[in-house]
Amino acid sequence: MTEHKILPAPSPAEALRAALHAERPARAMGAHNPLSARLAEEAGFEVIWSSGLEISAAAGVPDANILAMPQCLEAAASLAQSVSVPVLADCDSGFGNVNNVIHMVRAYEARGVAGVCIEDKQFPKLNSFIEGNQDLAPIDDFAAKIRAATEVRRDLVVVARLEALISGQGMAEALRRAEVYERAGADALLIHSKRADPGEVFAFREAYTGDLPVIAIPTTYHQVTIEDLRERGFAMAIYANQALRSSLRAMRETLTKIIQDGSTHGVEEGIAPLKEIFDLQRMPQMLEQQARYEALGRDLAEAAR
């Protein structure tokens, strides 16, 4: 009789690496709490992006390193615990110097996060779409962060995020930094742009001759499809904030209508029934589990009589 061995499930980092090296680009959706992460998983996204912008917005503070690492870590860990797909965490510029990065990597890995993404801007960083200080970190300082992250991790994906195009330093600087970060040991590169067309990121992908998977964030060049990115050799698209933005508009419209109408009657048909909330909370599973163990407890008590 042939024995069939049950292979262990891949670790979160293994699942993320597989997504980065799949035949078609992986699709990651931004989230800031378990509810939004479960909705993204339910919709079919292969990766959850623990979005610094969304986490900051949910806390009501600017995306400018106002929140400390423990707050961002707790948010990312709650996502990792709530879904079965891997979570890639937006870790800004590493929350400080190389020693902060070492602490960060160990903490995020211990909490089940699949990967961390660090950007090569100065700490504290400012959201890339805000006019203000977008100065890059010295290339050697950031390369040291990447090397330290990859040396202390046990099973964690380390993504180097290139901000040269955001800061106005140009394509040559982006490519130079990509080469250095690859030599430093990064597992993937993320090229960021705030232009309304994808020309810059497409030009980068064509000019980059290294071996690392390349990730895009099509926030401002939103006409780009996943097929466009596949044809040009991208490994992942991160939709970093669309879920939050859509919920903001929906909540505002609902709340305004309730105030105007003086009741909730006019909004009930357009909002989710409570059952959907209960399902996302895993309420049916909780009740089933409770009933099963209560029945087991009764059987054990009966057997002891």
Side-chain angles (χ1 to χ4, degrees):
M1 183 176 178
T2 304
E3 292 187 4
H4 297 282
K5 292 184 178 180
I6 300 176
L7 298 176
S11 70
E14 289 170 340
L16 181 55
R17 288 192 186 93
L20 284 166
H21 291 277
E23 291 186 5
R24 69 188 299 272
R27 297 159 297 180
M29 175 52 71
H32 59 278
N33 60 21
L35 193 68
S36 57
R38 284 177 177 171
L39 285 169
E41 181 181 30
E42 181 183 272
F45 288 90
E46 297 91 356
V47 176
I48 301 300
W49 169 251
S50 182
S51 167
L53 170 61
E54 291 203 11
I55 293 167
S56 297
V61 301
D63 182 18
N65 280 140
I66 303 300
L67 298 182
M69 191 206 81
Q71 294 164 292
C72 297
L73 169 61
E74 284 304 317
S78 72
L79 305 185
Q81 293 166 7
S82 67
V83 294
S84 60
V85 296
V87 172
L88 174 59
D90 177 7
C91 293
D92 296 334
S93 51
F95 304 106
N97 63 22
V98 68
N99 292 303
N100 297 90
V101 169
I102 290 172
H103 175 62
M104 176 201 78
V105 164
R106 289 171 172 160
Y108 274 74
E109 184 174 38
R111 298 295 297 276
V113 175
V116 294
C117 180
I118 316 170
E119 63 187 79
D120 58 354
K121 288 198 302 212
Q122 298 278 14
F123 176 85
K125 55 96 24 145
L126 185 65
N127 183 280
S128 300
F129 299 124
I130 299 294
E131 294 299 326
N133 180 14
Q134 300 291 349
D135 290 347
L136 298 182
I139 191 169
D140 54 335
D141 286 356
F142 192 74
K145 289 183 179 182
I146 295 297
R147 177 56 61 87
T150 57
E151 286 191 351
V152 301
R153 58 105 181 263
R154 294 180 179 178
D155 186 25
L156 186 79
V157 174
V158 177
V159 177
R161 172 166 157 174
L162 299 153
E163 293 280 306
L165 303 180
I166 294 289
S167 69
Q169 296 299 307
M171 187 64 64
E173 181 65 12
L175 291 166
R176 181 172 81 98
R177 285 174 174 259
E179 180 182 354
V180 172
Y181 303 161
E182 182 169 3
R183 291 205 307 267
D187 298 303
L189 301 173
L190 189 159
I191 183 65
H192 203 15
S193 170
K194 58 184 176 183
R195 281 179 48 170
D197 65 86
E200 281 188 329
V201 294
F202 286 177
F204 173 87
R205 186 65 191 90
E206 184 176 357
Y208 171 66
T209 58
D211 296 324
L212 297 183
V214 179
I215 301 169
I217 309 181
T219 299
T220 53
Y221 47 99
H222 42 72
Q223 72 277 21
V224 168
T225 68
I226 200 73
E227 182 61 22
D228 294 332
L229 295 175
R230 185 197 66 78
E231 290 175 354
R232 288 164 175 82
F234 285 88
M236 180 184 291
I238 297 176
Y239 303 98
N241 48 59
Q242 285 78 7
L244 177 69
R245 288 159 57 196
S246 65
S247 66
L248 183 68
R249 176 165 293 182
M251 285 191 288
R252 180 171 281 148
E253 290 175 355
T254 297
L255 300 179
T256 299
K257 188 163 181 57
I258 292 172
I259 287 292
Q260 291 174 343
D261 295 351
S263 78
T264 64
H265 178 72
V267 303
E268 289 296 338
E269 289 188 2
I271 61 177
L274 283 173
K275 182 181 183 303
E276 289 190 24
I277 303 295
F278 297 152
D279 288 345
L280 287 166
Q281 291 175 306
R282 306 292 194 259
M283 184 70 74
Q285 292 90 325
M286 185 202 77
L287 295 175
E288 180 184 352
Q289 176 178 271
Q290 180 177 337
R292 181 164 62 89
Y293 280 107
E294 286 178 349
L296 176 61
R298 288 193 296 270
D299 291 344
L300 293 171
E302 185 66 28
R305 290 177 183 173

